[in-house]
Amino acid sequence: MKKTNAELFARAQRVIPGGVNSPVRAFRAVGGTPRFIERAQGAYLWDAEGKRYIDYIGSWGPMILGHGHPAVLEAVQKAAVDGFSFGAPTEREVELAEAIIAQVPGVEQVRLVSSGTEAGMSALRLARGATGRVKIVKFEGCYHGHADALLVKAGSGLATFGHPTSAGVPEDVVKHTLVLEYNNVEQIEQVFATQGDEIACVMIEPIAGNMNFVRASVPFMKRLRELCTQHGTLLVFDEVMTGFRVALGGAQSLYAQRIPGFRPDLSVFGKVIGGGMPLAAFGGSRAVMSLLAPLGPVYQAGTLSGNPVATACGLATLREIARPGFFEALAARTRALVDGLTAAARAAGVPLVGDCEGGMFGFFFADALPQNYGAVLATDKDRFNRYFHAMLERGIYLAPALYEAGFVSAAHSAADIEATVAASAQALRA
Ligand code: HOZ
């Protein structure tokens, strides 16, 4: 007999804190019962009750090809037969490193790890090791995983639960973390004027996907780059969400089109490069990456790093998305979704604004696109929560919090987008 989502959630809560293994899954922001997913195919998910949803979470970003892509499935099956984990080097991890480097100018070497948190934490340690400095800058509403030093005024799940700085993080650990307003040129200039030579790195989500979808403006990014260069501070791009998702070369390739010679010093990747398996990476110039053990004094390690099944999954995914025309088609579909959602809202007289890049999008119940975390907090949260449930009822699976970006995959058809827009028109009136 089929179990209900509610039954499974009750059972889960007895043995797992909050019934989930990552807080944003818990529906706390929007209320109600999380859907327990039984299977997925293409653009669709099916829950334990057999209900089908069009999936705009895509496992929070990795599933850029949709679920169960045949080439990826075949690569994973083959790799699994050959062995799950060796704890020794493999040719495939070299191939994946080469595939990442081929698309991202400025990244000459990468180290593979297992999660975005691990990649961000390691990049931070490397930046401190490389500069011999302790202070770091991050921005309000940016989430770089749950390493202690970065868990200050973060977005995503922390924003949802109203405590953007986690308990259990010692004051001593975060006293070196300077938190500034996103897109605020004046603030960053002030901080560099007084402490620039003490700052190891500035870490930023170039398109913030953990406070919904907020772009760093080109003038802001240009100034950030100038100040970092001037003061010997490393600019670290957290492209866990945007890497291989907003464009093949990530968000940095988009800024490079607008700012001559632009590139970050270190880049952090995750999600798409693992194709749905636990895999992430950080990379930069050979000179900086050579400071990592075993070559240099900055220690970093992992039993499952470069796992053979995960690398097979990531490599097969990267091969598919590097095909000519892939990103143009994905971007057009995502744009059609955002245009459709905003047009439906206009017709219903509801203030809704949206933005997208490649296969990543966001929307707000507001009159104008927010430029920073404070402005995101000022958007209409109650309306979002009502809308979320009205969409879920209609078989549209959006992220269960307004602080999250959405993701379109290559498996989403024009008909899926049309069905979503039609559901939205109804949901806005519900
Ligand atoms: N950064 C993702 C959500 N914004 C990860 C999902 C999670 O935290 O579970």
Side-chain angles (χ1 to χ4, degrees), residues 21-25 57 59-61 117 143-146 155-157 205 209-211 240-241 271 399 403-405 407:
N21 282 312
S22 195
V24 291
R25 300 177 193 171
I57 301 183
S59 186
W60 304 91
T117 289
Y143 174 72
H144 304 291
H146 59 88
S156 191
E205 287 185 84
N210 287 290
M211 49 172 158
V240 169
M241 278 194 177
K271 302 201 189 269
Y403 307 103
E404 305 293 346
F407 300 98

PDB file of all heavy atoms in Angstrom, residues 21-25 57 59-61 117 143-146 155-157 205 209-211 240-241 271 399 403-405 407, ligand 1:
ATOM      1  N   ASN A  21      17.427  15.849   5.865  1.00  0.00           N
ATOM      2  CA  ASN A  21      18.887  15.846   5.955  1.00  0.00           C
ATOM      3  C   ASN A  21      19.530  17.132   5.455  1.00  0.00           C
ATOM      4  O   ASN A  21      20.753  17.208   5.341  1.00  0.00           O
ATOM      5  CB  ASN A  21      19.442  14.612   5.238  1.00  0.00           C
ATOM      6  CG  ASN A  21      19.275  13.376   6.117  1.00  0.00           C
ATOM      7  OD1 ASN A  21      19.616  13.397   7.302  1.00  0.00           O
ATOM      8  ND2 ASN A  21      18.715  12.321   5.572  1.00  0.00           N
ATOM      9  N   SER A  22      18.712  18.114   5.144  1.00  0.00           N
ATOM     10  CA  SER A  22      19.198  19.463   4.848  1.00  0.00           C
ATOM     11  C   SER A  22      18.006  20.389   5.084  1.00  0.00           C
ATOM     12  O   SER A  22      16.910  20.121   4.568  1.00  0.00           O
ATOM     13  CB  SER A  22      19.711  19.545   3.418  1.00  0.00           C
ATOM     14  OG  SER A  22      20.476  20.707   3.238  1.00  0.00           O
ATOM     15  N   PRO A  23      18.203  21.447   5.903  1.00  0.00           N
ATOM     16  CA  PRO A  23      17.049  22.199   6.418  1.00  0.00           C
ATOM     17  C   PRO A  23      16.094  22.777   5.377  1.00  0.00           C
ATOM     18  O   PRO A  23      14.892  22.825   5.612  1.00  0.00           O
ATOM     19  CB  PRO A  23      17.706  23.329   7.222  1.00  0.00           C
ATOM     20  CG  PRO A  23      19.055  22.815   7.591  1.00  0.00           C
ATOM     21  CD  PRO A  23      19.477  21.915   6.474  1.00  0.00           C
ATOM     22  N   VAL A  24      16.629  23.220   4.224  1.00  0.00           N
ATOM     23  CA  VAL A  24      15.721  23.874   3.267  1.00  0.00           C
ATOM     24  C   VAL A  24      14.669  22.929   2.705  1.00  0.00           C
ATOM     25  O   VAL A  24      13.695  23.368   2.100  1.00  0.00           O
ATOM     26  CB  VAL A  24      16.491  24.553   2.103  1.00  0.00           C
ATOM     27  CG1 VAL A  24      17.274  25.744   2.581  1.00  0.00           C
ATOM     28  CG2 VAL A  24      17.404  23.572   1.384  1.00  0.00           C
ATOM     29  N   ARG A  25      14.845  21.636   2.898  1.00  0.00           N
ATOM     30  CA  ARG A  25      13.862  20.669   2.385  1.00  0.00           C
ATOM     31  C   ARG A  25      12.611  20.582   3.262  1.00  0.00           C
ATOM     32  O   ARG A  25      11.635  19.929   2.895  1.00  0.00           O
ATOM     33  CB  ARG A  25      14.481  19.267   2.335  1.00  0.00           C
ATOM     34  CG  ARG A  25      15.685  19.176   1.451  1.00  0.00           C
ATOM     35  CD  ARG A  25      16.287  17.789   1.515  1.00  0.00           C
ATOM     36  NE  ARG A  25      17.613  17.790   0.910  1.00  0.00           N
ATOM     37  CZ  ARG A  25      18.468  16.777   0.958  1.00  0.00           C
ATOM     38  NH1 ARG A  25      18.140  15.667   1.594  1.00  0.00           N
ATOM     39  NH2 ARG A  25      19.636  16.866   0.388  1.00  0.00           N
ATOM     40  N   ILE A  57      13.438  22.668  -9.154  1.00  0.00           N
ATOM     41  CA  ILE A  57      14.543  22.693  -8.188  1.00  0.00           C
ATOM     42  C   ILE A  57      15.759  21.972  -8.791  1.00  0.00           C
ATOM     43  O   ILE A  57      16.888  22.448  -8.666  1.00  0.00           O
ATOM     44  CB  ILE A  57      14.146  22.055  -6.841  1.00  0.00           C
ATOM     45  CG1 ILE A  57      12.953  22.808  -6.230  1.00  0.00           C
ATOM     46  CG2 ILE A  57      15.327  22.080  -5.868  1.00  0.00           C
ATOM     47  CD1 ILE A  57      12.531  22.293  -4.863  1.00  0.00           C
ATOM     48  N   SER A  59      17.260  19.269  -7.934  1.00  0.00           N
ATOM     49  CA  SER A  59      18.200  18.925  -6.860  1.00  0.00           C
ATOM     50  C   SER A  59      19.023  20.139  -6.428  1.00  0.00           C
ATOM     51  O   SER A  59      20.183  20.013  -6.067  1.00  0.00           O
ATOM     52  CB  SER A  59      19.114  17.758  -7.284  1.00  0.00           C
ATOM     53  OG  SER A  59      19.888  17.370  -6.189  1.00  0.00           O
ATOM     54  N   TRP A  60      18.417  21.310  -6.519  1.00  0.00           N
ATOM     55  CA  TRP A  60      19.062  22.591  -6.162  1.00  0.00           C
ATOM     56  C   TRP A  60      20.175  22.953  -7.133  1.00  0.00           C
ATOM     57  O   TRP A  60      21.157  23.590  -6.770  1.00  0.00           O
ATOM     58  CB  TRP A  60      19.558  22.587  -4.706  1.00  0.00           C
ATOM     59  CG  TRP A  60      18.465  22.281  -3.729  1.00  0.00           C
ATOM     60  CD1 TRP A  60      18.126  21.041  -3.286  1.00  0.00           C
ATOM     61  CD2 TRP A  60      17.536  23.187  -3.137  1.00  0.00           C
ATOM     62  NE1 TRP A  60      17.045  21.129  -2.440  1.00  0.00           N
ATOM     63  CE2 TRP A  60      16.671  22.434  -2.337  1.00  0.00           C
ATOM     64  CE3 TRP A  60      17.363  24.571  -3.211  1.00  0.00           C
ATOM     65  CZ2 TRP A  60      15.625  22.993  -1.600  1.00  0.00           C
ATOM     66  CZ3 TRP A  60      16.336  25.142  -2.476  1.00  0.00           C
ATOM     67  CH2 TRP A  60      15.484  24.354  -1.684  1.00  0.00           C
ATOM     68  N   GLY A  61      20.008  22.506  -8.374  1.00  0.00           N
ATOM     69  CA  GLY A  61      20.914  22.976  -9.421  1.00  0.00           C
ATOM     70  C   GLY A  61      21.613  21.954 -10.297  1.00  0.00           C
ATOM     71  O   GLY A  61      21.844  22.218 -11.469  1.00  0.00           O
ATOM     72  N   THR A 117      30.203  22.957   0.162  1.00  0.00           N
ATOM     73  CA  THR A 117      30.714  23.436   1.453  1.00  0.00           C
ATOM     74  C   THR A 117      32.209  23.180   1.560  1.00  0.00           C
ATOM     75  O   THR A 117      32.995  24.060   1.920  1.00  0.00           O
ATOM     76  CB  THR A 117      29.995  22.720   2.618  1.00  0.00           C
ATOM     77  OG1 THR A 117      28.645  23.191   2.676  1.00  0.00           O
ATOM     78  CG2 THR A 117      30.674  22.988   3.964  1.00  0.00           C
ATOM     79  N   TYR A 143      25.438  32.684   0.500  1.00  0.00           N
ATOM     80  CA  TYR A 143      25.663  31.456   1.260  1.00  0.00           C
ATOM     81  C   TYR A 143      26.777  30.684   0.567  1.00  0.00           C
ATOM     82  O   TYR A 143      26.706  30.447  -0.639  1.00  0.00           O
ATOM     83  CB  TYR A 143      24.372  30.627   1.287  1.00  0.00           C
ATOM     84  CG  TYR A 143      24.482  29.267   1.922  1.00  0.00           C
ATOM     85  CD1 TYR A 143      24.629  29.130   3.293  1.00  0.00           C
ATOM     86  CD2 TYR A 143      24.401  28.112   1.150  1.00  0.00           C
ATOM     87  CE1 TYR A 143      24.713  27.862   3.881  1.00  0.00           C
ATOM     88  CE2 TYR A 143      24.477  26.850   1.721  1.00  0.00           C
ATOM     89  CZ  TYR A 143      24.636  26.733   3.092  1.00  0.00           C
ATOM     90  OH  TYR A 143      24.715  25.491   3.658  1.00  0.00           O
ATOM     91  N   HIS A 144      27.805  30.361   1.335  1.00  0.00           N
ATOM     92  CA  HIS A 144      28.946  29.651   0.741  1.00  0.00           C
ATOM     93  C   HIS A 144      29.128  28.289   1.403  1.00  0.00           C
ATOM     94  O   HIS A 144      30.251  27.846   1.631  1.00  0.00           O
ATOM     95  CB  HIS A 144      30.211  30.495   0.911  1.00  0.00           C
ATOM     96  CG  HIS A 144      30.098  31.876   0.331  1.00  0.00           C
ATOM     97  ND1 HIS A 144      30.025  32.107  -1.028  1.00  0.00           N
ATOM     98  CD2 HIS A 144      30.010  33.096   0.918  1.00  0.00           C
ATOM     99  CE1 HIS A 144      29.925  33.405  -1.251  1.00  0.00           C
ATOM    100  NE2 HIS A 144      29.905  34.030  -0.091  1.00  0.00           N
ATOM    101  N   GLY A 145      28.026  27.652   1.758  1.00  0.00           N
ATOM    102  CA  GLY A 145      28.117  26.396   2.476  1.00  0.00           C
ATOM    103  C   GLY A 145      28.207  26.674   3.960  1.00  0.00           C
ATOM    104  O   GLY A 145      28.167  27.830   4.393  1.00  0.00           O
ATOM    105  N   HIS A 146      28.363  25.594   4.745  1.00  0.00           N
ATOM    106  CA  HIS A 146      28.206  25.789   6.189  1.00  0.00           C
ATOM    107  C   HIS A 146      29.502  25.699   6.980  1.00  0.00           C
ATOM    108  O   HIS A 146      29.510  25.312   8.150  1.00  0.00           O
ATOM    109  CB  HIS A 146      27.111  24.869   6.745  1.00  0.00           C
ATOM    110  CG  HIS A 146      27.369  23.414   6.531  1.00  0.00           C
ATOM    111  ND1 HIS A 146      28.080  22.667   7.435  1.00  0.00           N
ATOM    112  CD2 HIS A 146      27.016  22.578   5.536  1.00  0.00           C
ATOM    113  CE1 HIS A 146      28.148  21.419   6.993  1.00  0.00           C
ATOM    114  NE2 HIS A 146      27.518  21.345   5.841  1.00  0.00           N
ATOM    115  N   GLY A 155      22.514  33.512   3.331  1.00  0.00           N
ATOM    116  CA  GLY A 155      21.160  33.366   2.802  1.00  0.00           C
ATOM    117  C   GLY A 155      20.700  31.923   2.908  1.00  0.00           C
ATOM    118  O   GLY A 155      21.049  31.205   3.829  1.00  0.00           O
ATOM    119  N   SER A 156      19.880  31.504   1.934  1.00  0.00           N
ATOM    120  CA  SER A 156      19.341  30.156   1.837  1.00  0.00           C
ATOM    121  C   SER A 156      18.629  29.744   3.127  1.00  0.00           C
ATOM    122  O   SER A 156      17.862  30.515   3.693  1.00  0.00           O
ATOM    123  CB  SER A 156      20.440  29.160   1.460  1.00  0.00           C
ATOM    124  OG  SER A 156      19.888  27.917   1.128  1.00  0.00           O
ATOM    125  N   GLY A 157      18.916  28.528   3.628  1.00  0.00           N
ATOM    126  CA  GLY A 157      18.200  27.998   4.784  1.00  0.00           C
ATOM    127  C   GLY A 157      18.312  28.896   6.000  1.00  0.00           C
ATOM    128  O   GLY A 157      17.383  28.988   6.806  1.00  0.00           O
ATOM    129  N   GLU A 205      29.094  35.265  -4.376  1.00  0.00           N
ATOM    130  CA  GLU A 205      28.293  34.591  -5.400  1.00  0.00           C
ATOM    131  C   GLU A 205      28.045  35.658  -6.458  1.00  0.00           C
ATOM    132  O   GLU A 205      27.319  36.626  -6.199  1.00  0.00           O
ATOM    133  CB  GLU A 205      26.940  34.165  -4.835  1.00  0.00           C
ATOM    134  CG  GLU A 205      26.931  33.000  -3.886  1.00  0.00           C
ATOM    135  CD  GLU A 205      25.491  32.642  -3.522  1.00  0.00           C
ATOM    136  OE1 GLU A 205      24.843  31.908  -4.271  1.00  0.00           O
ATOM    137  OE2 GLU A 205      25.001  33.127  -2.495  1.00  0.00           O
ATOM    138  N   GLY A 209      22.423  33.107  -5.636  1.00  0.00           N
ATOM    139  CA  GLY A 209      21.292  32.194  -5.799  1.00  0.00           C
ATOM    140  C   GLY A 209      20.745  31.727  -4.468  1.00  0.00           C
ATOM    141  O   GLY A 209      19.867  30.871  -4.408  1.00  0.00           O
ATOM    142  N   ASN A 210      21.273  32.301  -3.390  1.00  0.00           N
ATOM    143  CA  ASN A 210      20.807  31.921  -2.060  1.00  0.00           C
ATOM    144  C   ASN A 210      20.047  33.035  -1.371  1.00  0.00           C
ATOM    145  O   ASN A 210      19.772  32.985  -0.172  1.00  0.00           O
ATOM    146  CB  ASN A 210      22.003  31.467  -1.216  1.00  0.00           C
ATOM    147  CG  ASN A 210      22.506  30.092  -1.665  1.00  0.00           C
ATOM    148  OD1 ASN A 210      21.828  29.094  -1.464  1.00  0.00           O
ATOM    149  ND2 ASN A 210      23.660  30.053  -2.289  1.00  0.00           N
ATOM    150  N   MET A 211      19.759  34.096  -2.157  1.00  0.00           N
ATOM    151  CA  MET A 211      18.758  35.085  -1.734  1.00  0.00           C
ATOM    152  C   MET A 211      17.838  35.280  -2.939  1.00  0.00           C
ATOM    153  O   MET A 211      17.571  36.386  -3.358  1.00  0.00           O
ATOM    154  CB  MET A 211      19.396  36.390  -1.231  1.00  0.00           C
ATOM    155  CG  MET A 211      20.454  37.023  -2.102  1.00  0.00           C
ATOM    156  SD  MET A 211      20.905  38.645  -1.442  1.00  0.00           S
ATOM    157  CE  MET A 211      22.532  38.894  -2.163  1.00  0.00           C
ATOM    158  N   VAL A 240      29.261  27.705  -7.247  1.00  0.00           N
ATOM    159  CA  VAL A 240      28.629  26.409  -6.983  1.00  0.00           C
ATOM    160  C   VAL A 240      27.296  26.339  -7.728  1.00  0.00           C
ATOM    161  O   VAL A 240      26.955  25.335  -8.349  1.00  0.00           O
ATOM    162  CB  VAL A 240      28.448  26.182  -5.468  1.00  0.00           C
ATOM    163  CG1 VAL A 240      27.557  24.981  -5.187  1.00  0.00           C
ATOM    164  CG2 VAL A 240      29.808  25.977  -4.811  1.00  0.00           C
ATOM    165  N   MET A 241      26.544  27.444  -7.685  1.00  0.00           N
ATOM    166  CA  MET A 241      25.261  27.461  -8.405  1.00  0.00           C
ATOM    167  C   MET A 241      25.424  27.885  -9.862  1.00  0.00           C
ATOM    168  O   MET A 241      24.823  27.311 -10.753  1.00  0.00           O
ATOM    169  CB  MET A 241      24.301  28.429  -7.722  1.00  0.00           C
ATOM    170  CG  MET A 241      23.603  27.834  -6.550  1.00  0.00           C
ATOM    171  SD  MET A 241      22.222  28.891  -6.089  1.00  0.00           S
ATOM    172  CE  MET A 241      21.546  27.925  -4.781  1.00  0.00           C
ATOM    173  N   LYS A 271      27.527  21.271  -7.750  1.00  0.00           N
ATOM    174  CA  LYS A 271      26.254  21.021  -8.445  1.00  0.00           C
ATOM    175  C   LYS A 271      26.431  20.452  -9.854  1.00  0.00           C
ATOM    176  O   LYS A 271      26.632  19.253  -9.991  1.00  0.00           O
ATOM    177  CB  LYS A 271      25.421  22.298  -8.425  1.00  0.00           C
ATOM    178  CG  LYS A 271      25.170  22.745  -6.953  1.00  0.00           C
ATOM    179  CD  LYS A 271      24.009  23.655  -6.808  1.00  0.00           C
ATOM    180  CE  LYS A 271      23.883  24.273  -5.445  1.00  0.00           C
ATOM    181  NZ  LYS A 271      23.076  23.557  -4.497  1.00  0.00           N
ATOM    182  N   ALA A 399      11.136  25.873  -5.400  1.00  0.00           N
ATOM    183  CA  ALA A 399      11.862  25.799  -4.132  1.00  0.00           C
ATOM    184  C   ALA A 399      10.961  26.309  -3.007  1.00  0.00           C
ATOM    185  O   ALA A 399      10.283  27.332  -3.174  1.00  0.00           O
ATOM    186  CB  ALA A 399      13.128  26.631  -4.203  1.00  0.00           C
ATOM    187  N   TYR A 403      13.934  32.518  -0.765  1.00  0.00           N
ATOM    188  CA  TYR A 403      15.367  32.852  -0.803  1.00  0.00           C
ATOM    189  C   TYR A 403      16.151  31.972  -1.777  1.00  0.00           C
ATOM    190  O   TYR A 403      17.379  32.006  -1.774  1.00  0.00           O
ATOM    191  CB  TYR A 403      15.972  32.728   0.603  1.00  0.00           C
ATOM    192  CG  TYR A 403      15.199  33.521   1.609  1.00  0.00           C
ATOM    193  CD1 TYR A 403      14.328  32.898   2.485  1.00  0.00           C
ATOM    194  CD2 TYR A 403      15.311  34.907   1.643  1.00  0.00           C
ATOM    195  CE1 TYR A 403      13.574  33.635   3.386  1.00  0.00           C
ATOM    196  CE2 TYR A 403      14.564  35.652   2.539  1.00  0.00           C
ATOM    197  CZ  TYR A 403      13.705  35.003   3.405  1.00  0.00           C
ATOM    198  OH  TYR A 403      12.951  35.740   4.289  1.00  0.00           O
ATOM    199  N   GLU A 404      15.470  31.177  -2.551  1.00  0.00           N
ATOM    200  CA  GLU A 404      16.161  30.223  -3.414  1.00  0.00           C
ATOM    201  C   GLU A 404      15.942  30.547  -4.888  1.00  0.00           C
ATOM    202  O   GLU A 404      14.849  30.945  -5.285  1.00  0.00           O
ATOM    203  CB  GLU A 404      15.632  28.799  -3.145  1.00  0.00           C
ATOM    204  CG  GLU A 404      15.718  28.367  -1.693  1.00  0.00           C
ATOM    205  CD  GLU A 404      17.148  28.191  -1.182  1.00  0.00           C
ATOM    206  OE1 GLU A 404      18.076  28.141  -2.009  1.00  0.00           O
ATOM    207  OE2 GLU A 404      17.325  28.105   0.053  1.00  0.00           O
ATOM    208  N   ALA A 405      16.980  30.326  -5.686  1.00  0.00           N
ATOM    209  CA  ALA A 405      16.847  30.443  -7.138  1.00  0.00           C
ATOM    210  C   ALA A 405      16.129  29.206  -7.676  1.00  0.00           C
ATOM    211  O   ALA A 405      16.008  28.198  -6.986  1.00  0.00           O
ATOM    212  CB  ALA A 405      18.234  30.554  -7.762  1.00  0.00           C
ATOM    213  N   PHE A 407      15.662  26.482 -11.203  1.00  0.00           N
ATOM    214  CA  PHE A 407      16.500  25.915 -12.263  1.00  0.00           C
ATOM    215  C   PHE A 407      15.636  25.234 -13.321  1.00  0.00           C
ATOM    216  O   PHE A 407      14.729  24.464 -12.999  1.00  0.00           O
ATOM    217  CB  PHE A 407      17.481  24.903 -11.674  1.00  0.00           C
ATOM    218  CG  PHE A 407      18.400  25.534 -10.651  1.00  0.00           C
ATOM    219  CD1 PHE A 407      18.130  25.422  -9.291  1.00  0.00           C
ATOM    220  CD2 PHE A 407      19.500  26.271 -11.056  1.00  0.00           C
ATOM    221  CE1 PHE A 407      18.957  26.020  -8.353  1.00  0.00           C
ATOM    222  CE2 PHE A 407      20.330  26.884 -10.125  1.00  0.00           C
ATOM    223  CZ  PHE A 407      20.066  26.752  -8.768  1.00  0.00           C
TER     224      PHE A 407
HETATM  225  N1  HOZ B   1      22.598  25.953  -1.505  1.00  0.00           N
HETATM  226  C1  HOZ B   1      21.484  25.109  -1.757  1.00  0.00           C
HETATM  227  C2  HOZ B   1      20.226  25.781  -1.341  1.00  0.00           C
HETATM  228  N2  HOZ B   1      20.250  27.152  -1.481  1.00  0.00           N
HETATM  229  C3  HOZ B   1      21.753  23.787  -1.184  1.00  0.00           C
HETATM  230  C4  HOZ B   1      20.596  23.013  -0.760  1.00  0.00           C
HETATM  231  C5  HOZ B   1      20.671  22.681   0.675  1.00  0.00           C
HETATM  232  O1  HOZ B   1      21.186  23.491   1.472  1.00  0.00           O
HETATM  233  O2  HOZ B   1      20.162  21.619   0.980  1.00  0.00           O
END
